[in-house]
Amino acid sequence: MALSRFWGWYLIHIALFLSLCYAEDPFVFYDFEVTYITASPLGVPQQVIAINNKFPGPTINSTTNNNVVINVRNKLDESLLMHWSGIQQRRSSWQDGVLGTNCPIPPKWNWTYQFQVKDQVGSFFYFPSLHFQRAAGGFGSFIINNRPIIPIPFDTPDGDIVILIGDWYTQNHTALRKALDAGKGLGMPDGVLINGKGPYRYNDTLVPDGIEYETINVHPGGKTYRLRVHNVGISTSLNFRIQSHNLLLAESEGSYTVQQNYTSLDIHVGQSYSFLLTTDQNASSDYYIVASARFVNESQWKRVTGVAILRYSNSKGKASGPLPDPPQDEFDKTFSMNQARSIRWNVSASGARPNPQGSFRYGSINVTEVYVLRNKPPETIDGKRRATLSGISFVNPATPIRLADQYKIKGVYKLDFPDKPLTGPPKMETSVINGTYRGFMEVILQNNDTKMHTYHMSGYAFFVVGMDYGEWSENSRGTYNKWDGIARSTTQVYPGAWTAILISLDNVGVWNLRTENLDSWYLGQETYVRVVNPEATNKTEFPMPDNALFCGALSKLQKPQDVSSSLATSIIEGRSKLFFTVLMIASTLFLVSR
């Protein structure tokens, strides 16, 4: 009896002790083994990049302020970096997973990422950022849930469903890369995948037999499901819709939106949305889920359509007949833009806010610097086909920018990115924007290309305050939304149009600003924004991680053996040691008490 009382007392105290140690910022652990596998998503066997033998990769499920530890084992035949798109990496650009901040993980090596999902909620995704690898897969969803004490601005859904959509080529990423290196374009994609699978055979002519398709299973009776939809493709904007169902928009890349119903929504490359879907139909048959190409010749691109199935548990038959129509806006180029403008930020919702806290009053903050960034169709520079931003085609340095700063290495980059587009011939440079710490930057993205682009900035959620066709001018500011423009990390810029964003530069680090169109990104349409606190302190930026890799001018510092980060192991071992320490203390206390 005394022994049972002791163990009851002991277990209660152990639980209390451990909860005190880890209640504030719990850890979540993931182990990623990145390999090639053979798959046939469009009926043609090809090499794809899998994580833990899965294509797409597993969903990372976390909660606001969790510490996320991901051990990445690179079993590819080329170097690798994993990028956590939209995760702000507060005070730690070291973990961002792009070449400007990180040395690549060599083949057959491990590297462990550790970062905190600080003051964020919402739907994001991850992908490999080097060597055009995203065209081969390696992507997956990244969810950050609200902490229980912070309510979500809608009833708790009956289910949470991830849907990854994107254009797809049956050539592997190395062949696509070679085509770009040879000065060629990618051409039309071979299809659109939904969760790594090809289209349901809705049309016997367009879709061959034997292709595996995705089925989303739901229950009838007015249940509500949260659909987290991400466009993880290469360069094609997609219209997303579900036959006979409305999509109630609820969140976009970490910001809760004013809830509005859409019959369909254009989702551009790199963008993420959460919709609330209600099962309010009669289930006379299954329903089509469609992701079809936009801003292209529809008749030529008809086969580039992703089709999955929404199946009620009491469904009475297979989906049949024509697909639900896409927007009928062939002669109305403002339809999609007006739809984008209608997406507003829910400023009354609880939850994480773009920093600084309270900057939802962004319309009254004074702008400290203005950059007009203009893109054009690819052009030839020094005999190579390159993509530019404001006349500069970015050249990734052998030594990452952040690492060069840490070790005070000169000549790695130039802090001279122009605030207006160059007027002379284009050039290839490692030119970086000099951001002012705690400044408030206005960036105008001017798309003078003939195709749709989306732009992403690491480290921040920015405010999308305006967009219109034509050339931006000073007078365009009169059209800005200064109250409830959506805060997000990826925004579209329509062909022959501009988009204006505002960024509060409070996150110290070196942050990638790029087009999400993978071909243009690969060809140099990017730069970095360097944000430095003149008073160096660990309060605004964490120290360089102990497991940092070295390359370029610092490659001699890299140990020759596999420096697999033991971070995850050390944390687990640390917990084990803590447990046994507490065990010893508890045992001693018990013996003393006797």
Side-chain angles (χ1 to χ4, degrees):
M1 191 71 177
L3 189 61
S4 66
R5 278 201 306 271
F6 161 70
W7 280 113
W9 172 90
Y10 165 72
L11 291 172
I12 289 168
H13 282 76
I14 288 289
L16 285 172
F17 188 88
L18 290 177
S19 67
L20 284 172
C21 291
Y22 298 106
E24 277 192 20
D25 300 315
F27 283 81
V28 291
F29 297 91
Y30 287 87
D31 195 35
F32 277 16
E33 184 176 273
V34 185
T35 60
Y36 295 120
I37 63 170
T38 299
S40 307
L42 292 176
V44 179
Q46 64 181 118
Q47 177 183 273
V48 305
I49 295 175
I51 297 175
N52 301 343
N53 217 38
K54 292 180 178 179
F55 168 70
T59 293
I60 295 174
N61 207 313
S62 63
T63 298
T64 302
N65 292 352
N66 277 177
N67 293 290
V68 181
V69 181
I70 306 164
N71 185 49
V72 176
R73 287 182 280 171
N74 178 13
K75 293 200 169 181
L76 305 182
D77 56 1
E78 56 189 9
S79 57
L80 171 74
L81 279 174
M82 296 303 295
H83 175 61
W84 322 99
S85 188
I87 305 303
Q88 292 176 19
Q89 306 293 356
R90 304 297 302 175
R91 299 191 287 162
S92 188
S93 63
W94 297 107
Q95 307 291 330
D96 202 32
V98 286
L99 273 180
T101 50
N102 301 115
C103 291
I105 307 167
K108 311 298 184 260
W109 282 36
N110 291 11
W111 200 74
T112 301
Y113 292 87
Q114 184 188 5
F115 51 86
Q116 188 178 28
V117 287
K118 181 73 173 167
D119 295 333
Q120 283 191 267
V121 295
S123 309
F124 310 93
F125 68 96
Y126 62 85
F127 65 88
S129 65
L130 302 185
H131 308 310
F132 218 69
Q133 288 164 349
R134 191 172 84 199
F139 43 71
S141 176
F142 196 129
I143 295 172
I144 308 178
N145 301 292
N146 280 46
R147 287 179 293 165
I149 60 170
I150 300 176
I152 54 176
F154 43 83
D155 292 337
T156 301
D158 296 293
D160 202 309
I161 297 167
V162 168
I163 301 179
L164 303 171
I165 61 177
D167 56 0
W168 189 258
Y169 292 78
T170 54
Q171 287 182 290
N172 67 24
H173 72 287
T174 55
L176 296 173
R177 197 168 70 205
K178 284 177 183 174
L180 291 173
D181 289 339
K184 300 173 184 175
L186 294 177
M188 192 166 68
D190 296 298
V192 169
L193 304 189
I194 299 181
N195 285 348
K197 298 175 183 177
Y200 171 79
R201 200 176 190 197
Y202 70 97
N203 181 303
D204 292 351
T205 305
L206 294 172
V207 184
D209 195 14
I211 289 180
E212 185 182 6
Y213 58 88
E214 177 74 334
T215 300
I216 303 294
N217 292 299
V218 294
H219 292 288
K223 302 286 187 186
T224 299
Y225 293 84
R226 182 173 183 169
L227 308 184
R228 300 177 190 262
V229 187
H230 312 267
N231 185 336
V232 297
I234 295 173
S235 64
T236 306
S237 296
L238 298 172
N239 181 264
F240 182 79
R241 55 197 184 274
I242 299 180
Q243 185 180 27
S244 302
H245 290 74
N246 283 324
L247 300 167
L248 182 63
L249 183 63
E251 177 255 336
S252 176
E253 295 158 27
S255 293
Y256 291 120
T257 65
V258 173
Q259 292 175 24
Q260 300 178 78
N261 271 310
Y262 296 88
T263 54
S264 71
L265 189 71
D266 290 340
I267 304 178
H268 307 280
V269 180
Q271 290 189 327
S272 300
Y273 289 99
S274 281
F275 302 102
L276 299 177
L277 174 88
T278 303
T279 55
D280 53 7
Q281 299 301 301
N282 61 16
S284 56
S285 66
D286 296 342
Y287 297 95
Y288 293 125
I289 301 171
V290 182
S292 61
R294 290 281 276 149
F295 313 106
V296 293
N297 184 309
E298 218 168 281
S299 59
Q300 289 181 11
W301 285 60
K302 213 166 189 177
R303 65 181 174 81
V304 185
T305 301
V307 183
I309 293 299
L310 181 73
R311 175 167 297 155
Y312 284 41
S313 58
N314 62 340
S315 174
K316 298 178 179 64
K318 292 185 176 182
S320 61
L323 299 180
D325 288 330
Q328 302 297 304
D329 62 341
E330 185 181 353
F331 304 105
D332 179 10
K333 70 177 186 177
T334 64
F335 173 85
S336 182
M337 184 180 286
N338 286 336
Q339 188 186 58
R341 287 170 174 155
S342 73
I343 298 170
R344 299 300 180 96
W345 193 25
N346 184 347
V347 295
S348 63
S350 299
R353 298 265 180 205
N355 284 292
Q357 295 299 318
S359 65
F360 52 92
R361 302 189 186 281
Y362 64 86
S364 60
I365 300 174
N366 291 328
V367 169
T368 58
E369 47 214 303
V370 180
Y371 280 82
V372 178
L373 307 182
R374 177 180 295 151
N375 75 333
K376 294 179 179 178
E379 47 197 321
T380 301
I381 309 175
D382 298 336
K384 296 181 179 179
R385 185 172 181 266
R386 299 287 296 180
T388 59
L389 202 55
S390 289
I392 297 174
S393 186
F394 191 82
V395 178
N396 274 297
T399 308
I401 298 162
R402 186 64 199 86
L403 206 57
D405 280 353
Q406 179 76 14
Y407 285 86
K408 297 181 171 53
I409 297 173
K410 305 295 184 184
V412 170
Y413 63 92
K414 296 179 181 178
L415 207 58
D416 64 351
F417 198 93
D419 58 5
K420 292 184 175 64
L422 296 177
T423 54
K427 56 185 182 179
M428 293 171 61
E429 294 276 3
T430 307
S431 182
V432 174
I433 291 174
N434 187 15
T436 303
Y437 177 55
R438 296 198 185 283
F440 199 60
M441 181 184 284
E442 179 183 13
V443 176
I444 292 89
L445 300 160
Q446 179 76 51
N447 183 2
N448 286 9
D449 201 347
T450 56
K451 66 177 185 178
M452 175 72 73
H453 276 267
T454 47
Y455 286 88
H456 173 91
M457 185 169 174
S458 294
Y460 295 93
F462 50 68
F463 302 96
V464 182
V465 294
M467 58 180 69
D468 205 351
Y469 283 96
E471 288 281 323
W472 180 88
S473 71
E474 301 282 339
N475 293 333
S476 302
R477 292 194 179 101
T479 67
Y480 285 5
N481 174 357
K482 294 187 176 181
W483 171 245
D484 61 355
I486 191 69
R488 63 189 312 166
S489 61
T490 310
T491 186
Q492 69 268 48
V493 193
Y494 292 85
W498 56 267
T499 296
I501 61 176
L502 297 175
I503 314 163
S504 180
L505 298 179
D506 69 324
N507 193 13
V508 170
V510 177
W511 305 107
N512 192 218
L513 176 57
R514 64 176 183 268
T515 178
E516 277 289 344
N517 298 52
L518 200 56
D519 49 348
S520 296
W521 182 13
Y522 180 79
L523 295 174
Q525 197 172 109
E526 65 174 324
T527 185
Y528 284 80
V529 180
R530 180 176 173 269
V531 182
V532 175
N533 182 353
E535 299 177 14
T537 167
N538 289 349
K539 291 181 179 178
T540 57
E541 186 180 29
F542 295 131
M544 185 178 78
D546 292 338
N547 65 338
L549 297 174
F550 296 97
C551 54
L554 296 166
S555 56
K556 290 181 180 177
L557 297 179
Q558 184 60 59
K559 296 177 182 178
Q561 75 275 17
D562 182 339
V563 289
S564 304
S565 166
S566 58
L567 188 56
T569 305
S570 66
I571 290 170
I572 293 168
E573 287 177 350
R575 287 189 168 191
S576 298
K577 288 174 183 175
L578 175 64
F579 179 83
F580 286 112
T581 300
V582 176
L583 175 62
M584 293 300 293
I585 293 169
S587 300
T588 304
L589 288 172
F590 174 67
L591 291 171
V592 169
S593 68
R594 295 190 65 184

